[in-house]
Amino acid sequence: MAAVTRPAARRATVAVRWMVLGLAGVFFVLPLYAMLDFSTKGVGGARDLSAWRAIPQDEELRGAIVTSMELAGLTAVLMLVLLVPTLTWVRLRLPRVQRLVEFLCLLPLIIPAIVLVVGIAPLYSWVTYVFGDTPLTLTFVYVVLVLPYAYRALDAGLAGMDLKTLSEAARSLGASWTTVMLRVVLPNLRGAVLSAALLSVALVLGEFTLASLLNFQTLQVAITLTGKRNAALAIAVSLAALVFAFVLLVVLTRLVGRRRDGAETLAPAAPTAVAA
Amino acid sequence: MTVSDAVVVRRQGTATAPGPRPTAARRRLLDHLGVLPFLAFVGVFLLYPTLTVVAGAFSDGADGVTLDNVRALSGPAYRDAFLRSLQLSALTAAIGAVSGALLAWAVVTGSPDGRLRRTVTAASGVLAQFGGVTLAFAFLATLGFEGIVTVVLRDSFGIDLFAGGAWIFELPGLVLVYTYFQIPLMVIVFLPALDGLRPQWREASDNLGGNAWTYWRHIGGPILAPAFLGSLLLLFANAFSAYATAAALISQGASIVPLQIRALQTGEVILGQQGVGKALGLAMVIVVTIVMALYALLQRRTTRWLR
């Protein structure tokens, strides 16, 4: 950023800066405080933690939390299995297909989840027929949902390493392609793989549209259903989920920030058209 | 991996054992097999559903092709929903872009690796990507009928927030709650652009006798303009496609397009109405595509100065 040189201008800049930060602080902290207040409100102004204690006891919520965790893990794994070899292979051997793969990976950005659900609902009667009627089948459509973000993170990671030289060196020393992938590409891609995986986890844990309209009980769906019978409980879970996601992202920024090669991947991965 | 393994086996075979070398054409074919799993997956779970929507928009439910579904969109209910969706997206994109740009500027003038920047980035990531349903509940806890602000205003100041009706469940409420994910999104997408401004430019401007105004008017502003407009478009597309917050907040009724689609998707489908949901979906995709295409164009201009 531009260094402000004149003392008077500098003071003005500092004042404006703190005013902006202060306003933003109030604007964004107020709802969080309200959630904390609302979820601990007892009779006659006393504090009461019963809503928070109810979280682990609520059968429906507990099941949904477990489902969402499993979905997050499965989605991250399937995404990596699908994307890492494909993107590596395309970069090495099929540069002409690169544009097509990029286009397909970014396509979900122009197809809102609410539209995807309309097109995929008929398909899901087949999916549940083949794989059983379990919410874990959401993994497939969630991989589609995280494609753009995962692609950007992994692509930036691959662009940042000398893939051709490394793989040719390994191959000329007799390594198989599996060895190249597991022992040459993946270790060099650690930062990018980590951000792609954690972004996927955050996205899956926050996803509501597809789960709700395909009638599967995930964390976010359970929160809305809970909200209809017990507002304090729903608000307590919401706050817990927000804090959890925040911690997850802080860990991600820390880990990625430490590795300079991956530092670029977080910001370009963020532009989103699926928030909320 | 099996496909690439097959290629390995073949190539190792040709290196050690005498045998016909695979022709270039055959090798190219084998190379292409490597992207097959990816293409198959994307074909089934992304392209097929998309085509279902496009084809369904022009299908009469049997085998015929019809324009009735698309024509139905000009009916007053759908037209109003579209207008409201566009209004909501434009308004929250404008508010989000201006406030988010200011916040990003305030953050970026601090230390680049400081705690403030890390906290704001992580918090923005959460609100922009994860918000959805939880934001609706945060909003209810704050401004709902028993929300903390509502209660304080009512009991201490005698102000009834709802004197004008339950506005938080209508468009004004959506505008307010959407800014909670639009501003953070702006911070995330605009921070890198601000990082690209070089201190030397400001110093050069100062040395030539310029002040803050001349710097922003002639240097900073023009350089950031494409990035700002691009972010504005991204925010518009983001609000236009958003569903979760509105759905969690408004359980009945269909004031905006995504909620119209919900009503058609969950309700008893009246014969001939399945197509309308798909036509609505197609219209949404078209709007988002136009906006994102403009965004891509602006993005190209942005990278001329900022990288």
Side-chain angles (χ1 to χ4, degrees), chain B residues 250-288:
Chain B
I250 303 171
S251 48
Q252 301 260 296
S255 47
I256 55 175
V257 181
L259 296 184
Q260 291 270 8
I261 295 182
R262 169 180 71 178
L264 288 168
Q265 194 69 17
T266 53
E268 297 280 297
V269 177
I270 310 151
L271 207 62
Q273 286 275 300
Q274 312 109 301
V276 179
K278 295 187 173 116
L280 276 173
L282 179 61
M284 277 187 85
V285 171
I286 291 172
V287 171
V288 177

Side-chain angles (χ1 to χ4, degrees), chain A residues 88-108:
Chain A
T88 311
W89 189 248
V90 165
R91 261 181 186 273
L92 282 175
R93 306 298 288 278
L94 299 166
R96 272 194 297 176
V97 187
Q98 216 166 337
R99 293 307 294 257
L100 173 73
V101 171
E102 179 182 17
F103 171 77
L104 290 173
C105 284
L106 298 183
L107 191 59

Side-chain angles (χ1 to χ4, degrees), chain A residues 1-6 9 13 16-18 20-21 24 26-28 30-35 37-38 41 78 82-83 85-86 89-90 93-94 96-97 100-101 104-105 107-124 127 139-141 143-144 147 149 152 171 174-178 181 199 201-203 205-206 208-209 212-213 219-221 223-224 226-228 231 234-235 237-239 241-242 245-247 249-250 253-254 260 266-276, chain B residues 1 4-5 7-8 11-12 27-28 30-35 37-39 41-42 44-50 52-53 99 102-103 105-111 113 116 118-123 125-135 137-142 146-149 151 176 179-181 183-185 188-189 192 194-195 197-199 202-203 206 209-212 215-216 234 237-238 241-245 247-248 251 258 261-262 265-266 277-278 280-282 284-285 288-289 292 295:
Chain A
M1 256 321 275
V4 181
T5 38
R6 288 186 187 83
T13 307
V16 174
R17 175 166 183 253
W18 284 109
V20 171
L21 288 176
V26 171
F27 186 71
F28 285 103
L30 183 66
L32 296 178
Y33 173 74
M35 289 171 100
D37 177 78
F38 198 101
K41 211 183 295 184
L78 182 60
L82 201 62
L83 276 188
T86 306
W89 189 248
V90 165
R93 306 298 288 278
L94 299 166
R96 272 194 297 176
V97 187
L100 173 73
V101 171
L104 290 173
C105 284
L107 191 59
L109 287 182
I110 58 164
I111 303 182
I114 181 74
V115 178
L116 189 62
V117 84
V118 173
I120 219 162
L123 189 68
Y124 256 73
V127 171
T139 305
F140 296 118
V141 62
V143 169
V144 168
L147 265 187
Y149 312 99
R152 282 182 181 156
R171 294 281 294 145
S176 71
W177 277 111
T178 320
M181 280 308 305
L199 273 170
V201 168
L203 235 81
L205 292 182
F208 170 75
T209 310
S212 136
L213 289 173
L219 172 62
Q220 305 290 333
V221 177
I223 292 179
T224 48
T226 309
K228 293 192 165 79
I235 286 169
V237 187
S238 294
L239 183 56
L242 279 173
F246 179 72
V247 171
L249 274 190
V250 168
T253 352
R254 278 282 168 88
R260 283 275 67 145
L266 188 61
T272 164
V274 298
Chain B
M1 289 307 297
S4 28
D5 284 341
V7 177
V8 174
R11 302 183 81 224
Q12 281 170 344
R27 232 189 75 190
R28 260 217 317 276
L30 283 171
D31 279 356
H32 278 84
L33 286 181
V35 279
F38 171 78
L39 291 182
F41 180 85
V42 170
V44 171
F45 289 100
L46 178 59
L47 296 182
Y48 175 76
T50 309
T52 307
V53 171
S99 326
L102 270 175
L103 181 54
W105 166 81
V107 169
V108 98
T109 34
S111 118
D113 291 315
L116 173 74
R118 274 208 310 266
T119 313
V120 172
T121 317
V126 173
L127 290 174
Q129 313 250 15
F130 181 84
V133 169
T134 47
L135 272 182
F137 282 100
F139 191 60
L140 287 178
T142 316
E146 288 303 319
I148 171 169
V149 172
V151 170
L176 186 56
T179 57
Y180 275 93
F181 60 76
I183 295 176
L185 179 59
I188 295 174
V189 296
L194 283 173
D195 277 334
L197 286 182
R198 308 223 184 104
R202 179 64 195 257
E203 286 157 13
D206 284 352
N211 54 25
Y215 170 73
W216 286 111
L234 198 71
N238 185 50
S241 343
Y243 165 79
T245 310
S251 48
I261 295 182
R262 169 180 71 178
Q265 194 69 17
T266 53
K278 295 187 173 116
L280 276 173
L282 179 61
M284 277 187 85
V285 171
V288 177
T289 305
M292 293 302 278
Y295 166 74

